[in-house]
Amino acid sequence: MASKLKGGKTPPRLFEDLSFYNPQCLSSNSYNILTEAALYFDASATQKPPKKKKGCRHKWALKSEQCDHVELDLRPDSSSSSTAAALCMLCRCHIALMIDFEGEGAGVAPCPKEDKPLHHFIYSRTEHCGFSRSQDGVNAGSWTDTQRFTCSSLSCSARLTIRMRSPIITSEWEALLLDKSLIKSRAQKAISDEPSRFEGHAVPSPIEVVGNLRTYIRNALTSHEERRIPSNNKKWLLCFGEPCGDLLKHIGFTCTEDGWFPPRPDVSATVPLSNPLNVLLDDVENELAVLLSIQPDNERHMAKVHVPLRPAMAEFERILGSKGYKRSTASRTIDLTQEDQEPEHPFYAGLGSTMDFHDDLICFTYERQIACDAENSPYYLECLQGIAEGRRSEDLQTKVAIEASSGQFSVRDLREAYQDLGLDIWSSFFDDDTIIGSFQSRIADAPRQEPDLRRALYMIGKHRKSVRIQHVASNDIKTYEQALSWLGATDDMVDEFLVSMYGVKIHESPANEELARQCMVLIAEQRKSTGLKEWLETGQLGEMEMDPGQAYTRLGIGDRTIDDDLVITSYNINMQETPSQIKDLKKALAAIAKSRNSFYLQSFLDSSASERKVSEWPVGLENIGNTCYLNSLLQFYFTVKPLRDLVLNFDQYKMQLDDRTFYKKQVGSRKVSKREVERAQRFVYELQKLFQSMITIPDDKVTPEQELARLTLISASGEENIRRKSILSTHRPSLGDIDGQPVLGPLPASPDVVASMDTVMFTNGISNSDSCATHPRSEEDVSSDDTLVETPALGGKADNDLMILDSVEKEQAQVQLEDDKENSAPATVDLTRLQTPDKTLEPEIEWSPSLTNTEERPHGQLRQVDSGQSPYGQTRQTVTAFPAPPNRPPPVPPRNKPDESKRAIQQEVEIGAQQDVTEVIANVLFQLQCAIRPENIDEFGEQIDQIKTLFFAKQKSYITNDRGEVRSNEEFVSDIKVDVASGPRDIYAALDGAFDVQEVEVGGSLEPQYAAISQLPPVLQILVQRAQFDPETKRPFKSNNHLELKETIYMDRYMDTSDVNLAQRRQACWAWKKDLANLEARRMDLTKTEMDMDMPAVLSSAADYLRQCTSDESDDPVEVEPKLLASLEKASSDATAELSEIEEQMKVLGTNINSQFADLRELPYRLHSVFIHRGMVNSGHYWIYIYDFVNSMWRKYNDGYVTEVTDPNIIFETEESSRPATPYFLVYVRDNLKSDLVESVCRNVPEIQMPQEDTVMADEETGTTETSKLSHGIRPVENRKQFVGDPWGSGGRASQADCW
């Protein structure tokens, strides 16, 4: 299929190829890297990109005396010409680049110019290439090579000539000048001939020999006097003598009886040199300078030799108009090759470009290549695709998408098209009949793939220029049989089934709706079916029960083993895409529910069709583009009464911008700008509108505004980054849209960011502390969150109110179809705030069971180095860089130009959707605090307000040094991190990992560290860390280990207290956990072996084997000491007994640990919300369960659907599935305040009086009339009871706020 490429090269590409061009190494049939276009590279093959051939990689030094160039910034005309001459500093070959503008082009607008920023040279001809030999045999094997090129632009008449020549000084002559043994031999001969005359003279060094010859030549070029060198000149005899005669004569020296005479060039010649002798001597002088430059630095320094070699590349770029061409930044230039290959991928050479080209220049070279070599345009598009994916460049991906939309296709597309038809793209043994036959057989086997197969066939026909193939692919349906074939139906199918097939076809390819309808018309006419004709006119065919196979096909479900949740998710997606087909979709879901006998699916159908009163049920929130986790969060916030009251009555709490305290406002241990406060207040007003709508709307679901999504998902600093990017690019395409809604997707985490950030104190403990941190971001850092990857923050003072790590430039990961809705990224940010002064306390314990190591940080902060966790909380955690995720397909540009303002908001929401839930929580809390006025200011200047009081705990950490001194650090935190990495566990065992003593490395020594809670919030948030890293596969994965939840937990055991009894209990529990960890390690040693047997079985098997070897029945019996057999049997018995004892001890220790704090029940917290994620580390779907304490029921909030959970076991018990739904964020509320804290149902739907008839209203001014229409307005919130002050102390209770 592939033909020889005939494209051209830009000047930088020519320079790159010139650096590897060695004419003397070429054979008659070898590839010429300079004159030929790049070699075809098959990206689908297992071959690696070809490496450059071995040889000299030239480094050019300028020969300024031979250069001729026009003045800077002077536009060339037909009389302009320039020359740049240089020689290689390694092999000393000579090169001259000569450009003129006398070619065949019009010459009216020579390159470079605005639309053609670089020349694009096409090889013209070889003028001379070969070897020559002088008549006397001197300088045998010299060569010259001359190649000509022309610019491909029709308006540019540039002609380029590249002439290369072999070195003047051959390798033999080089040895005469540099070989110390040859120099010594010449010198000793001269000394031995006249010992008295040369008394005291030393053998000259190579630097002296070369330097003296260079001096003779320089004098000859500059002196008008003829100077004779006597034959008996001491310096001459010691350095040169008779052996160098051929060299000297070749470069113009003459020998007479009176001595040697230097060459006589034209000393009056001007630059550029044109006299052949002058050029020869200038070449020799430059070659001698190169020979001097390769001598050791110390010898040149001692000889005081200065070699002024000037790089030639700048001059090359100048005369070819490429100086200062637009380059890509280093972070955007991504190597597409493997580690052991050349750093430049062949795709760059294919486009005649280099890897440092800016995206704009890549597009330019692509366009020039297809203009010059249209036959190979598929390969050039593949080059563009590969570079776009390697760079992750949106601009290049957009260019690829535009090319695809205009009918262009790449070799990759063509290869896939052939593969779709079961053909080999490289085979040349099939004709049009073979291709068409393969297509027809494929359609018969897979009728659902017909649209894709037709597209593949049309692409092949276009590539082969076959009108016949293109006609078959165009799908011109004229007959009844063709209509049935297109629908994938047969003549015996009933009308009802044909209608279903029609629906499937439309679902698979909405663009083919008209063609599908044409098929139905043909079938209805052929069958004379009144039913089909009525269906075509009215869309009604009568009721019928859908077959389960049809139902799965209708919902686009290929795997019938997926669980019910994913079936509902697929149903919801189809509802959003084709709401007009709701009836058909419900029939499909009902058929699947019946075939599965699924009570869950049937309950979903019943709940969606129930007549439940709107005023007694929460509303759902529509997904506006990968925002299922945002919807879960908004539902949770709406049920928190104090927060809902604050939002609905925001004006009573609003921060006044002219307030004198504004300039002292500090959130997150930093001053807050006026712009941030204004933005935060806009956010609260948008949230207020949503909450009001959730209360009053007479519907079962609400669609959040995109402005609210933008302000919620994107931090203020992230917004600034987006605006900065918008300045650099006038258009950033989305991934498309469905019914006007953006199709978006969260991105995976950047391994650079994950690996580079330090974990602050208690990485596995309480997170989101009151500290601020800033992530270092590179231009290429287009990703910052893998699903469920908790991102540690940099050390330093910060606040959870500033917990947003901007993810504006996150790289996008491919959305997994099976998990269908969202790529999710619950990351967390560990931040610490201010440290209290050190004070000396008595350490609680001298030993730590934890294996955590940290290193000392400024201001007493600690950096987590290595950690992991046992089932009982002993912590070990590793911060590791994740490998880069796979590239996503390029975005498809929208066909219609969207409204610019809406598109800007949509793009920001798209970027914001890349944030994970915990980042969004941090942004929300920070903005709420910015928007409201403080109630108090703490000793560090931090704002204390309703949000801080409601959600933030105070955590205190203690670390003991080797002198017994205890340092403490107290900080605000908004959630507690727990870990399930090492196995299933209950909530208490997970929480223990956040507070248990650990050993941390400080100053080279291990010191114990533990944490406690000094102040509990009314609303307690717990983050479950599930993202892990597999060191074998070098890839992240999601831990699906079960976390056993409890409806009520008691936090007494974690409180910071002076109670000696509690401290002793903790120490005893820590000691038990240490013993338990040791027992677990020992049990692992005895049960895990390389033979897949435990140690007792291994020892027993060894004894049996040796016993068989001593048997007389053995072919080759051996003698074994009886004591050895007895020892093995005893060791096996001892190991069995030890395992039994270990199991018993572990059981006792587990009981002791679980019951140690069972009597402490003064601080109960009730489970209120459970955020759920199903999927993998980089994909999946979110929903939330929220408990209604008033009605004693759990509800499931799944985007726009709110359903009752009839079986709570689905929340609390583990799910038998390869990818179970797992909790990752939990919310507990204080038990004695739950009625004041949370309220699941808050509705006040205005009653609507339906008019008997429309009322005609007259416009008094214009006299026109209009029919009044009902609308549901939003009433202002008035007289709401406020949630103010500090209701959480001394058993205080907040007043219960009304819903309206």
Side-chain angles (χ1 to χ4, degrees):
M1 188 220 74
S3 60
K4 185 176 180 180
L5 301 179
K6 304 171 185 177
K9 301 179 181 182
T10 58
R13 179 75 255 163
L14 276 174
F15 300 151
E16 177 69 13
D17 292 347
L18 268 175
S19 64
F20 291 95
Y21 183 52
N22 293 283
Q24 73 277 18
C25 301
L26 291 176
S27 61
S28 59
N29 58 352
S30 63
Y31 170 67
N32 190 317
I33 192 174
L34 180 63
T35 63
E36 296 183 51
L39 292 174
Y40 190 101
F41 175 70
D42 182 12
S44 67
T46 56
Q47 70 177 34
K48 296 180 179 180
K51 294 185 177 181
K52 300 291 192 302
K53 292 184 177 181
K54 294 183 179 179
C56 177
R57 179 164 187 171
H58 305 302
K59 294 182 179 180
W60 304 111
L62 191 67
K63 297 190 295 185
S64 56
E65 299 294 321
Q66 300 181 39
C67 293
D68 178 25
H69 52 258
V70 297
E71 297 179 3
L72 287 174
D73 301 327
L74 183 64
R75 294 291 297 176
D77 53 32
S78 59
S79 62
S80 302
S81 64
S82 299
T83 301
L87 81 163
C88 177
M89 291 184 282
L90 300 177
C91 68
R92 291 180 287 106
C93 69
H94 298 263
I95 187 171
L97 273 62
M98 295 159 283
I99 186 170
D100 60 47
F101 295 87
E102 300 176 3
E104 297 178 356
V108 294
C111 301
K113 50 190 174 182
E114 183 175 354
D115 61 334
K116 294 180 177 59
L118 291 173
H119 286 292
H120 183 255
F121 290 110
I122 302 292
Y123 169 68
S124 176
R125 67 182 187 277
T126 298
E127 191 168 325
H128 178 78
C129 181
F131 293 84
S132 62
R133 179 186 299 272
S134 62
Q135 295 180 355
D136 56 0
V138 177
N139 200 21
S142 62
W143 52 266
T144 59
D145 181 88
T146 304
Q147 309 291 351
R148 290 192 177 274
F149 301 82
T150 58
C151 183
S152 66
S153 173
L154 296 178
S155 61
C156 181
S157 57
R159 298 187 306 181
L160 173 65
T161 301
I162 300 177
R163 179 173 293 118
M164 294 184 68
R165 293 185 285 108
S166 58
I168 305 298
I169 301 175
T170 64
S171 56
E172 293 80 9
W173 290 343
E174 178 184 351
L176 288 175
L177 299 176
L178 298 181
D179 192 319
K180 292 183 178 181
S181 62
L182 296 178
I183 296 173
K184 183 177 180 180
S185 174
R186 296 198 301 269
Q188 287 180 343
K189 182 178 182 305
I191 294 172
S192 62
D193 289 342
E194 299 180 77
S196 59
R197 185 164 177 262
F198 286 91
E199 183 177 358
H201 286 74
V203 175
S205 66
I207 289 182
E208 291 177 295
V209 173
V210 174
N212 287 336
L213 181 57
R214 185 163 175 256
T215 300
Y216 289 134
I217 293 174
R218 172 48 52 188
N219 290 337
L221 286 169
T222 57
S223 176
H224 291 271
E225 299 179 4
E226 182 178 5
R227 297 182 179 180
R228 180 179 62 86
I229 305 172
S231 300
N232 61 350
N233 183 282
K234 296 180 182 179
K235 180 188 296 186
W236 180 268
L237 292 174
L238 290 173
C239 292
F240 307 109
E242 185 178 348
C244 295
D246 289 339
L247 166 63
L248 297 172
K249 292 177 181 178
H250 182 74
I251 61 178
F253 284 81
T254 56
C255 180
T256 65
E257 295 180 355
D258 297 329
W260 286 85
F261 288 88
R264 297 298 300 163
D266 182 3
V267 295
S268 62
T270 59
V271 175
L273 300 177
S274 58
N275 183 286
L277 182 57
N278 289 64
V279 172
L280 173 66
L281 294 178
D282 186 69
D283 287 343
V284 173
E285 182 185 9
N286 281 285
E287 288 190 34
L288 294 174
V290 169
L291 294 178
L292 287 174
S293 69
I294 64 176
Q295 301 306 306
D297 291 341
N298 58 336
E299 294 183 14
R300 285 191 286 110
H301 180 71
M302 292 178 62
K304 298 181 180 180
V305 174
H306 174 63
V307 183
L309 293 176
R310 175 185 164 193
M313 191 54 63
E315 190 65 17
F316 285 177
E317 292 177 343
R318 179 182 177 186
I319 71 166
L320 296 191
S322 62
K323 188 174 182 61
Y325 66 88
K326 198 173 182 181
R327 288 177 168 86
S328 173
T329 60
S331 61
R332 291 291 304 279
T333 305
I334 304 298
D335 182 7
L336 303 178
T337 67
Q338 303 296 327
E339 293 180 357
D340 59 342
Q341 297 173 344
E342 292 290 335
E344 186 182 72
H345 195 277
F347 284 161
Y348 287 100
L351 293 183
S353 63
T354 58
M355 65 185 299
D356 65 341
F357 269 31
H358 189 273
D359 290 351
D360 293 344
L361 287 182
I362 294 293
C363 293
F364 162 74
T365 55
Y366 164 76
E367 292 168 353
R368 294 311 305 157
Q369 294 293 64
I370 61 176
C372 299
D373 187 15
E375 181 181 358
N376 289 301
S377 58
Y379 178 73
Y380 297 129
L381 183 55
E382 182 174 46
C383 294
L384 186 65
Q385 280 181 330
I387 295 172
E389 292 170 359
R391 291 186 173 192
R392 301 182 181 92
S393 166
E394 291 182 0
D395 291 340
L396 292 182
Q397 288 171 342
T398 301
K399 177 67 174 177
V400 171
I402 292 173
E403 291 298 296
S405 66
S406 64
Q408 298 297 323
F409 50 87
S410 68
V411 174
R412 180 193 306 177
D413 301 328
L414 197 59
R415 185 187 305 116
E416 292 173 355
Y418 277 91
Q419 289 174 352
D420 288 343
L421 300 185
L423 302 173
D424 182 8
I425 189 174
W426 305 112
S427 176
S428 58
F429 298 101
F430 46 76
D431 54 13
D432 289 358
D433 289 331
T434 303
I435 296 173
I436 294 173
S438 178
F439 162 75
Q440 292 173 341
S441 64
R442 286 278 172 167
I443 286 184
D445 295 336
R448 290 182 57 192
Q449 300 178 12
E450 182 177 350
D452 294 334
L453 292 173
R454 288 193 180 278
R455 283 192 293 269
L457 183 65
Y458 186 84
M459 188 182 303
I460 294 173
K462 186 176 180 181
H463 177 256
R464 294 171 63 94
K465 301 178 181 178
S466 169
V467 176
R468 182 186 173 198
I469 291 179
Q470 293 181 57
H471 179 73
V472 173
S474 64
N475 201 19
D476 190 12
I477 298 173
K478 300 292 185 182
T479 66
Y480 170 71
E481 291 74 16
Q482 290 175 341
L484 288 175
S485 175
W486 190 89
L487 289 174
T490 58
D491 186 54
D492 59 349
M493 290 182 179
V494 297
D495 291 350
E496 290 85 354
F497 192 78
L498 289 176
V499 172
S500 298
M501 295 299 292
Y502 169 86
V504 171
K505 280 290 186 179
I506 296 306
H507 174 72
E508 291 176 346
S509 181
N512 287 331
E513 182 175 1
E514 188 63 30
L515 187 59
R517 188 172 182 83
Q518 178 185 345
C519 292
M520 296 298 290
V521 170
L522 287 171
I523 295 171
E525 291 177 350
Q526 175 69 24
R527 293 187 174 189
K528 297 180 174 57
S529 170
T530 56
L532 284 181
K533 291 179 180 179
E534 183 179 353
W535 174 82
L536 286 167
E537 293 176 359
T538 66
Q540 299 295 325
L541 187 64
E543 294 295 331
M544 59 174 290
E545 186 176 292
M546 191 176 291
D547 178 77
Q550 293 176 290
Y552 282 108
T553 302
R554 181 66 187 86
L555 295 182
I557 300 174
D559 181 7
R560 301 190 184 187
T561 64
I562 64 174
D563 54 40
D564 290 350
D565 276 318
L566 290 180
V567 172
I568 292 176
T569 299
S570 181
Y571 169 80
N572 290 336
I573 291 175
N574 280 275
M575 285 282 291
Q576 293 174 5
E577 294 177 348
T578 55
S580 61
Q581 301 178 26
I582 181 173
K583 185 176 180 179
D584 197 39
L585 293 170
K586 284 187 175 181
K587 287 169 61 177
L589 185 59
I592 294 174
K594 183 177 180 180
S595 67
R596 292 186 172 203
N597 194 24
S598 171
F599 176 77
Y600 181 59
L601 291 179
Q602 191 59 50
S603 297
F604 175 81
L605 280 169
D606 294 342
S607 65
S608 63
S610 68
E611 299 298 329
R612 186 183 290 115
K613 289 185 64 175
V614 173
S615 60
E616 297 176 357
W617 201 254
V619 298
L621 296 177
E622 291 280 15
N623 192 310
I624 61 173
N626 285 355
T627 55
C628 56
Y629 52 85
L630 173 62
N631 291 342
S632 299
L633 184 61
L634 293 174
Q635 292 283 16
F636 160 60
Y637 281 144
F638 183 76
T639 64
V640 180
K641 289 173 63 178
L643 176 58
R644 189 175 66 215
D645 291 342
L646 183 148
V647 171
L648 293 172
N649 297 279
F650 174 57
D651 288 338
Q652 300 178 23
Y653 304 94
K654 182 178 179 181
M655 180 75 189
Q656 300 301 321
L657 298 182
D658 57 352
D659 195 317
R660 61 184 179 86
T661 61
F662 166 75
Y663 300 100
K664 297 181 180 179
K665 188 178 181 70
Q666 179 173 302
V667 178
S669 298
R670 71 171 177 84
K671 300 295 183 182
V672 179
S673 69
K674 182 178 179 180
R675 177 179 296 178
E676 287 178 304
V677 173
E678 291 173 339
R679 183 186 192 275
Q681 291 179 352
R682 291 200 309 273
F683 159 71
V684 178
Y685 279 124
E686 290 291 332
L687 189 60
Q688 184 185 80
K689 288 195 296 184
L690 176 67
F691 282 5
Q692 289 173 340
S693 184
M694 292 172 72
I695 294 171
T696 62
I697 189 170
D699 200 350
D700 60 352
K701 61 187 68 175
V702 176
T703 301
E705 294 290 340
Q706 290 220 0
E707 176 66 8
L708 172 61
R710 183 183 71 84
L711 294 171
T712 307
L713 295 170
I714 304 176
S715 66
S717 53
E719 193 176 58
E720 291 301 320
N721 285 338
I722 294 173
R723 290 172 179 168
R724 283 194 294 271
K725 286 189 69 178
S726 69
I727 296 174
L728 300 178
S729 176
T730 59
H731 174 59
R732 180 178 180 269
S734 69
L735 304 184
D737 61 81
I738 297 177
D739 292 338
Q741 295 299 321
V743 179
L744 315 172
L747 307 182
S750 164
D752 297 334
V753 174
V754 174
S756 66
M757 290 185 291
D758 296 333
T759 303
V760 186
M761 188 179 298
F762 294 101
T763 302
N764 204 34
I766 297 180
S767 70
N768 293 346
S769 56
D770 253 5
S771 309
C772 113
T774 302
H775 278 213
R777 297 281 178 169
S778 67
E779 184 178 347
E780 178 54 23
D781 184 12
V782 297
S783 165
S784 69
D785 66 293
D786 271 0
T787 301
L788 302 179
V789 174
E790 294 78 15
T791 311
L794 295 173
K797 296 182 179 180
D799 192 304
N800 183 43
D801 308 327
L802 193 61
M803 291 177 292
I804 296 301
L805 300 180
D806 295 330
S807 305
V808 175
E809 297 178 301
K810 297 180 179 179
E811 44 169 349
Q812 300 191 0
Q814 184 175 359
V815 177
Q816 301 293 325
L817 178 60
E818 187 175 355
D819 293 310
D820 60 72
K821 288 193 70 176
E822 255 60 80
N823 285 341
S824 60
T828 63
V829 184
D830 288 334
L831 307 162
T832 57
R833 189 174 155 273
L834 299 174
Q835 176 178 315
T836 59
D838 292 352
K839 54 183 178 181
T840 303
L841 300 174
E842 290 297 322
E844 287 194 30
I845 190 169
E846 296 180 358
W847 176 90
S848 168
S850 172
L851 301 177
T852 300
N853 295 322
T854 65
E855 66 184 32
E856 193 167 14
R857 305 289 289 168
H859 306 292
Q861 298 175 11
L862 302 172
R863 174 183 179 273
Q864 194 96 12
V865 176
D866 180 37
S867 62
Q869 190 169 30
S870 76
Y872 294 92
Q874 296 166 2
T875 302
R876 289 179 62 84
Q877 185 168 3
T878 303
V879 179
T880 313
F882 292 168
N887 294 325
R888 63 170 174 82
V892 178
R895 289 178 172 82
N896 298 322
K897 185 176 181 181
D899 179 82
E900 292 299 328
S901 60
K902 292 182 178 179
R903 186 177 68 183
I905 294 176
Q906 175 179 314
Q907 290 172 356
E908 294 193 18
V909 172
E910 175 183 345
I911 296 173
Q914 302 161 11
Q915 305 283 353
D916 59 65
V917 176
T918 51
E919 289 177 334
V920 176
I921 291 174
N923 189 29
V924 171
L925 296 181
F926 173 70
Q927 291 194 91
L928 287 170
Q929 289 189 273
C930 288
I932 62 177
R933 60 178 178 269
E935 292 184 319
N936 198 1
I937 304 295
D938 71 4
E939 58 184 310
F940 302 107
E942 183 70 17
Q943 170 174 311
I944 305 299
D945 50 44
Q946 291 88 344
I947 302 302
K948 187 80 75 176
T949 304
L950 188 60
F951 292 102
F952 285 75
K954 273 191 176 181
Q955 170 246 341
K956 202 167 188 177
S957 56
Y958 298 92
I959 184 168
T960 307
N961 61 24
D962 53 4
R963 298 184 299 277
E965 298 174 344
V966 179
R967 291 175 296 165
S968 66
N969 179 63
E970 189 174 40
E971 57 196 3
F972 280 110
V973 294
S974 67
D975 62 45
I976 302 174
K977 286 183 183 175
V978 300
D979 193 3
V980 291
S982 57
R985 63 192 59 197
D986 66 17
I987 186 64
Y988 281 120
L991 284 169
D992 288 347
F995 300 100
D996 280 351
V997 68
Q998 311 171 38
E999 283 188 342
V1000 297
E1001 184 178 350
V1002 180
S1005 62
L1006 296 178
E1007 298 179 357
Q1009 168 191 311
Y1010 71 95
I1013 300 176
S1014 56
Q1015 177 181 310
L1016 276 168
V1019 180
L1020 180 65
Q1021 302 175 122
I1022 300 173
L1023 170 68
V1024 184
Q1025 296 177 300
R1026 292 193 175 274
Q1028 305 297 327
F1029 184 75
D1030 189 336
E1032 294 183 0
T1033 63
K1034 308 297 184 184
R1035 298 185 65 85
F1037 69 95
K1038 176 191 172 186
S1039 170
N1040 287 319
N1041 290 326
H1042 179 58
L1043 177 64
E1044 181 183 340
L1045 305 179
K1046 296 184 182 299
E1047 292 189 19
T1048 304
I1049 60 174
Y1050 300 90
M1051 299 298 294
D1052 308 63
R1053 67 187 71 182
Y1054 305 115
M1055 298 304 295
D1056 184 40
T1057 177
S1058 57
D1059 186 349
V1060 176
N1061 178 49
L1062 180 57
Q1064 291 175 347
R1065 288 196 193 190
R1066 287 175 177 165
Q1067 293 177 21
C1069 193
W1070 294 341
W1072 291 335
K1073 289 179 180 178
K1074 173 190 174 183
D1075 294 340
L1076 186 62
N1078 292 335
L1079 290 173
E1080 287 176 336
R1082 178 56 181 164
R1083 182 178 65 176
M1084 184 68 70
D1085 292 339
L1086 293 175
T1087 56
K1088 300 295 183 181
T1089 66
E1090 296 180 358
M1091 302 177 66
D1092 292 332
M1093 296 186 292
D1094 60 17
M1095 188 57 66
V1098 170
L1099 294 171
S1100 178
S1101 298
D1104 292 342
Y1105 176 76
L1106 291 177
R1107 198 174 287 111
Q1108 293 175 4
C1109 291
T1110 60
S1111 172
D1112 295 336
E1113 298 178 359
S1114 175
D1115 295 337
D1116 187 15
V1118 296
E1119 184 177 352
V1120 178
E1121 289 288 339
K1123 292 182 179 180
L1124 176 58
L1125 294 175
S1127 297
L1128 288 173
E1129 292 291 356
K1130 184 177 184 304
S1132 176
S1133 177
D1134 291 345
T1136 301
E1138 184 180 2
L1139 272 175
S1140 178
E1141 183 180 357
I1142 287 174
E1143 293 291 346
E1144 186 64 28
Q1145 291 180 12
M1146 289 179 64
K1147 184 177 180 180
V1148 172
L1149 287 173
T1151 302
N1152 291 342
I1153 292 170
N1154 292 333
S1155 62
Q1156 179 72 340
F1157 305 101
D1159 60 319
L1160 301 179
R1161 307 169 71 88
E1162 296 297 322
L1163 295 173
Y1165 275 73
R1166 292 288 301 276
L1167 183 61
H1168 170 255
S1169 302
V1170 182
F1171 289 74
I1172 297 292
H1173 173 264
R1174 181 194 299 282
M1176 298 183 296
V1177 72
N1178 59 358
S1179 63
H1181 177 54
Y1182 293 87
W1183 65 89
I1184 185 173
Y1185 295 109
I1186 299 179
Y1187 188 70
D1188 185 342
F1189 290 104
V1190 175
N1191 296 298
S1192 300
M1193 71 165 66
W1194 282 97
R1195 292 186 182 89
K1196 179 179 181 179
Y1197 297 72
N1198 189 355
D1199 286 336
Y1201 298 92
V1202 181
T1203 56
E1204 181 180 355
V1205 179
T1206 56
D1207 183 10
N1209 288 332
I1210 65 174
I1211 304 174
F1212 293 93
E1213 294 182 359
T1214 183
E1215 178 184 346
E1216 297 299 331
S1217 172
S1218 59
R1219 271 182 280 176
T1222 53
Y1224 76 91
F1225 199 78
L1226 315 172
V1227 180
Y1228 283 84
V1229 296
R1230 189 174 295 180
D1231 184 52
N1232 64 333
L1233 298 172
K1234 59 181 179 292
S1235 60
D1236 296 320
L1237 288 171
V1238 291
E1239 182 181 40
S1240 297
V1241 181
C1242 182
R1243 303 296 300 278
N1244 190 356
V1245 181
E1247 294 186 4
I1248 303 173
Q1249 299 296 331
M1250 299 298 295
Q1252 297 299 321
E1253 60 183 56
D1254 291 341
T1255 303
V1256 178
M1257 307 296 294
D1259 189 317
E1260 295 183 359
E1261 294 183 2
T1262 63
T1264 59
T1265 62
E1266 62 178 7
T1267 302
S1268 63
K1269 297 181 176 60
L1270 293 175
S1271 62
H1272 305 295
I1274 303 298
R1275 293 186 296 165
V1277 180
E1278 298 176 355
N1279 300 324
R1280 287 189 55 85
K1281 295 181 180 180
Q1282 302 174 16
F1283 186 82
V1284 296
D1286 180 13
W1288 316 119
S1290 305
R1293 299 174 61 86
S1295 61
Q1296 182 171 355
D1298 297 331
C1299 289
W1300 187 241

